[in-house]
Amino acid sequence: ETAVFQTPNYHVTQVGNEVSFNCKQTLGHDTMYWYKQDSKKLLKIMFSYNNKQLIVNETVPRRFSPQSSDKAHLNLRIKSVEPEDSAVYLCASSWGTGGYTQYFGPGTRLLVL
Amino acid sequence: GQQVQQSPASLVLQEGENAELQCNFSTSLNSMQWFYQRPGGSLVSLFYNPSGTKQSGRLTSTTVIKERRSSLHISSSQTTDSGTYLCAMEPGYQNFYFGKGTSLTVIP
């Protein structure tokens, strides 16, 4: 049963445009994450957000920013997309870190032309 | 360098055969998890297993902390087991590293 929802499923855009992806979890979790999965299927964590504390992977370009209205939502904004941003973006949530199971959404596939 | 090494990269099995997937870590870890990713689908958590052995149905995970490795054993494989198996480690607070995955194909 899906409990982490992502929209859109798929998005095609041009270099330089701004995009925003939505993520909502209905599990009552207090920690949410954004991951990027590249064409080689390698998953890398981008952000984690817990009780208004944001932890950023230092390799994430500044054009990426997470946006949260409440603990059930963590959106991802890309200010000016680049070709290398083409990937699948996965959102996840958990009760916390250090041993809590993460629940993933279905992902948003981004194609930058 | 790569923090998490998974092997084999891919594996083809006849239905009913067993599989052993390996995950090796280059640093000490706080926790680790095994995930399953359906072809074109999302991730499903299989095990949180920072140490010792855990079993769920036909799946068994064994983590040996001092040797910095974890394994996932699939017994009596089924075609529905086909997909990618990923391991991830958490060396510190809210910092996760994933392996590149093992692509498993089970043929009838």
Side-chain angles (χ1 to χ4, degrees):
Chain A
E1 184 182 345
T2 303
V4 181
F5 303 90
Q6 289 187 242
T7 57
N9 295 327
Y10 189 66
H11 188 76
V12 182
T13 190
Q14 307 255 347
V15 170
N17 284 350
E18 177 176 318
V19 300
S20 188
F21 302 146
N22 299 315
C23 180
K24 171 187 171 183
Q25 54 95 4
T26 58
L27 296 164
H29 290 163
D30 57 10
T31 304
M32 295 184 73
Y33 312 83
W34 275 103
Y35 290 85
K36 179 182 179 182
Q37 189 170 35
D38 61 23
S39 57
K40 296 180 181 177
K41 302 291 186 183
L42 185 60
L43 262 167
K44 288 187 179 178
I45 189 167
M46 301 178 70
F47 305 100
S48 63
Y49 190 75
N50 175 296
N51 291 326
K52 301 186 179 179
Q53 181 187 15
L54 175 67
I55 295 181
V56 183
N57 184 324
E58 61 189 15
T59 65
V60 174
R62 289 185 176 226
R63 60 181 179 276
F64 289 85
S65 61
Q67 297 172 321
S68 178
S69 55
D70 55 56
K71 72 174 190 176
H73 296 82
L74 186 68
N75 300 334
L76 180 66
R77 175 177 165 243
I78 314 174
K79 209 171 181 180
S80 176
V81 295
E82 299 284 340
E84 60 265 28
D85 298 338
S86 295
V88 176
Y89 292 86
L90 289 159
C91 175
S93 72
S94 69
W95 283 115
T97 59
Y100 294 96
T101 298
Q102 293 186 40
Y103 294 82
F104 281 80
T108 293
R109 183 176 295 276
L110 173 66
L111 179 60
V112 181
L113 302 175
Chain B
Q2 185 69 28
Q3 304 263 12
V4 183
Q5 300 281 355
Q6 283 193 249
S7 61
S10 63
L11 185 61
V12 180
L13 296 176
Q14 201 77 39
E15 195 168 27
E17 290 182 325
N18 299 332
E20 186 87 7
L21 281 54
Q22 299 290 341
C23 195
N24 291 284
F25 310 107
S26 59
T27 63
S28 57
L29 63 154
N30 274 341
S31 71
M32 68 81 55
Q33 294 188 24
W34 282 96
F35 294 89
Y36 167 69
Q37 187 170 33
R38 298 182 189 90
S42 188
L43 272 74
V44 175
S45 178
L46 297 174
F47 291 103
Y48 159 70
N49 186 15
S51 67
T53 298
K54 290 192 175 183
Q55 183 175 3
S56 176
R58 296 181 292 106
L59 303 180
T60 304
S61 170
T62 300
T63 300
V64 184
I65 287 280
K66 61 181 179 181
E67 295 180 12
R68 296 181 180 172
R69 62 176 176 84
S70 183
S71 64
L72 179 68
H73 182 84
I74 305 173
S75 62
S76 303
S77 62
Q78 300 175 0
T79 56
T80 50
D81 294 333
S82 296
T84 301
Y85 292 81
L86 296 158
C87 64
M89 63 173 285
E90 186 182 8
Y93 182 64
Q94 291 185 233
N95 191 7
F96 296 91
Y97 294 96
F98 278 79
K100 293 184 178 180
T102 293
S103 176
L104 175 66
T105 303
V106 182
I107 54 178

